[in-house]
């Protein structure tokens, strides 16, 4: 089926009262951004107070739809066929619509909305004419007015007639960049990409921080993280990954902190570095994939001891989620398979045999007081490499000018 337009419905956005105009503008911007691609140059976007229309101008509907599914702030969308306001043309378009459906249906109904009252036929006449034409050519179908598989909506407006049927679920949430920026601590694990996605869904702009310990962790483990960031970039068009060299700090911890406290200190340093990068980047919060009780660093006692190093808000979207729920979300998001790749993470390499599940603040502060970490932290921040990721590719810095 060749579609002419995509109709976009706003959802939660529509409850935003006075801010509505700003939200619509943000949504329009993120749609434009997600569709910024030479193949989509012909698209036009028209935003109204209640809906948005993408005029396809010959672009492939499926490709555009795949991108739209990932954009926050869209409740649902529908492909639209536009035909001249003439009953034979509308009947034929109805028939073509059924023939072009991807999933077979057995029942349908036609619902006409006649905004243009000058159209010679009444609503019921149009329903009957289009429905009858479809039935005549599709003997296997029947009409069900209560719960049809397809409700084919025919809208007669001034300029033309519009046919829509399928309603495709959007990602929901709020349009991107409507609520400030946060830094996602992105490991190669299952949880942190999901945590990042859920935060982005609330309109927050996200940049990633990854701690990397070569030669203990390989290039492939770094690539794994970039691939995860790439999946997230589909929701925002572009993702920054700050890769922090962490080897020197980890070695220092291993040498100088008692083994059962090394994990607590490692996390505290990660957080201090994340905090410094957040400040540099103008971010207001840090996001982690922590989930209560999952591992030794995620007990309430551990979090209490680790969190002490910062007053920056920490967003933990998965804090009460079960692992199985998270796995399901990761699968839907498309990150599970990447996270399951067996490459090492800087934490797993240095994980002590018996990390403290109930570390004490006084003790960890005491152990750390013998070590001068400030310079190491500064060096790690200064040597952080920033990599840009876009749907389909990792971008060299030189290409950034074209993008931004
Ligand atoms: P994940 O699946 O996200 O790795 P996890 O269950 O393995 O989580 P931990 O390894 O304890 O849990 O990590 C807890 C959180 O700390 C992660 O969700 C992530 O936000 C952050 N984190 C851990 N390792 C790194 C890393 N190498 N770089 C950046 N952040 C990390
Ligand atoms: Mg991990």
């Amino acid at each position: 089926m060749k579609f002419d337009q995509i109709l976009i419905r706003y959802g939660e956005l529509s409850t935003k009262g006075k801010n509505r105009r700003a939200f619509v503008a943000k949504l329009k911007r993120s749609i434009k951004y997600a569709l910024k691609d030479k193949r989509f140059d012909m698209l036009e976007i028209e935003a109204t107070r209640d809906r948005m229309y993408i005029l396809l101008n010959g672009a492939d509907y499926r490709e555009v739809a795949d991108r739209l599914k990932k954009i926050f702030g869209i409740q649902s969308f529908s492909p639209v066929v536009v035909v001249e306001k003439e009953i034979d043309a509308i009947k034929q378009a109805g028939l073509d619509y059924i023939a072009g459906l991807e999933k077979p249906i057995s029942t349908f109904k036609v619902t006409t909305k006649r905004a243009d009252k000058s159209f010679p036929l009444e609503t019921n006449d149009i329903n009957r004419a289009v429905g009858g034409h479809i039935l005549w050519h599709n003997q296997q179908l029947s009409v069900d007015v209560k719960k049809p598989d397809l409700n084919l909506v025919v809208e007669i407006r001034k300029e033309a007639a519009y046919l829509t049927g399928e309603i495709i679920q959007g990602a929901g949430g709020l349009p991107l960049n409507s609520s400030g920026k946060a830094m996602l601590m992105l490991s190669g694990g299952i949880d942190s990409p999901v945590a990042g996605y859920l935060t982005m869904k609330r309109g927050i702009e996200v940049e990633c921080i990854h701690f990397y310990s070569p030669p203990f962790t390989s290039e492939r483990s770094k690539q794994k993280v970039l691939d995860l960031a790439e999946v997230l970039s589909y929701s925002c068009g572009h993702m920054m990954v700050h890769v922090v060299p962490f080897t020197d700090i980890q070695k220092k911890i291993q040498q100088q902190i008692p083994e059962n406290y090394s994990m607590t200190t490692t996390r505290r340093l990660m957080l201090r570095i994340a905090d410094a990068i957040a400040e540099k980047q103008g971010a207001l919060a840090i996001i982690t994939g922590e989930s209560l009780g999952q591992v030794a660093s995620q007990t309430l006692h551990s979090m209490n001891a680790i969190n002490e190093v910062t007053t920056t808000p920490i967003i933990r979207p998965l804090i009460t989620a079960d692992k199985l729920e998270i796995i399901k979300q990761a699968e839907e998001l498309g990150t599970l398979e990447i996270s399951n790749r067996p490459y090492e993470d800087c934490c797993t390499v240095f994980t002590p045999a018996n990390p403290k599940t109930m570390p004490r603040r006084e003790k960890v502060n005491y152990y750390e007081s013998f070590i001068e970490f400030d310079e190491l932290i500064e060096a790690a921040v200064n040597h952080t490499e920033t990599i840009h990721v876009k749907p389909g590719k990792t971008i060299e810095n030189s290409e950034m000018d074209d993008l931004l």
Side-chain angles (χ1 to χ4, degrees), residues 54-275:
I54 298 185
L55 314 188
L56 289 166
N57 295 325
D60 182 65
Y61 159 69
R62 295 270 149 229
E63 272 189 272
V64 179
D66 282 345
R67 300 253 175 133
L68 289 183
K69 279 180 202 158
K70 306 210 165 72
I71 298 173
F72 300 122
I74 296 180
Q75 183 65 26
S76 66
F77 62 90
S78 299
V80 180
V81 177
V82 185
V83 285
E84 67 179 297
K85 235 174 29 176
E86 204 274 307
I87 192 63
D88 284 338
I90 299 170
K91 278 161 66 177
Q92 186 57 40
L95 195 58
D96 292 346
Y97 199 106
I98 302 281
L101 285 175
E102 273 191 359
K103 268 196 248 148
I105 54 162
S106 49
T107 59
F108 77 102
K109 74 169 174 181
V110 179
T111 309
T112 300
K113 293 177 186 164
R114 195 163 148 271
D116 174 13
K117 302 292 182 214
S118 71
F119 192 72
L121 293 176
E122 295 282 335
T123 303
N124 281 338
D125 299 335
I126 303 169
N127 289 345
R128 233 173 285 127
V130 179
H133 191 63
I134 291 171
L135 280 176
W136 176 256
H137 290 275
N138 293 278
Q139 310 275 329
Q140 79 286 6
L141 294 184
S142 58
V143 171
D144 179 348
V145 288
K146 288 219 177 83
K147 216 169 167 279
D149 294 338
L150 174 78
N151 179 16
L152 184 64
V153 178
V154 177
E155 242 184 287
I156 312 280
R157 285 194 252 146
K158 277 252 162 330
E159 334 74 68
Y162 299 78
L163 281 77
T164 46
E166 297 146 278
I167 296 180
I168 294 136
Q169 219 44 49
L174 300 174
L176 217 62
N177 303 354
S178 41
S179 323
K181 191 199 287 182
M183 305 304 282
L184 167 67
M185 291 176 62
L186 182 64
S187 69
I190 294 172
D191 307 323
S192 43
V194 176
Y197 179 82
L198 292 174
T199 312
M200 285 159 75
K201 186 169 175 177
R202 297 315 297 169
I204 291 175
E205 182 191 351
V206 168
E207 290 181 17
C208 304
I209 298 181
H210 177 65
F211 295 90
Y212 173 57
S213 299
F216 305 104
T217 50
S218 63
E219 269 299 315
R220 284 184 303 183
S221 74
K222 182 164 130 190
Q223 189 56 48
K224 179 179 173 182
V225 170
L226 295 180
D227 290 349
L228 290 171
E230 195 228 334
V231 176
L232 295 178
S233 78
Y234 278 90
S235 298
C236 55
H238 159 239
M239 183 61 82
M240 273 161 115
V241 186
H242 305 281
V243 181
V244 184
F246 204 49
T247 316
D248 291 348
I249 291 181
Q250 287 206 291
K251 279 188 181 160
K252 190 95 184 168
I253 293 171
Q254 207 182 23
Q255 286 158 6
Q256 308 221 5
I257 299 280
E259 195 187 309
N260 59 352
Y261 267 87
S262 65
M263 191 267 311
T264 311
T265 293
T266 305
R267 297 292 180 187
R268 283 162 60 102
L269 286 164
M270 280 186 172
L271 206 50
R272 284 172 68 180
I273 294 170
D275 218 8

Side-chain angles (χ1 to χ4, degrees), residues 335-389:
T335 50
L336 184 63
E337 184 234 338
I338 304 172
S339 295
N340 277 338
R341 283 187 213 154
Y343 305 123
E344 64 296 322
D345 179 67
C346 70
C347 298
T348 38
V349 174
F350 287 90
T351 301
N354 292 306
K356 269 259 180 246
T357 52
M358 292 170 77
R360 300 219 327 258
R361 281 185 175 192
E362 317 81 74
K363 277 205 169 174
V364 70
N365 279 312
Y366 174 72
Y367 295 138
E368 288 176 13
S369 68
F370 297 101
I371 311 165
E372 189 40 74
F373 278 123
D374 290 355
E375 272 174 31
L376 286 172
I377 291 175
E378 206 181 310
V381 173
N382 289 339
H383 290 102
T384 291
E385 176 196 10
T386 299
I387 300 172
H388 297 265
V389 180

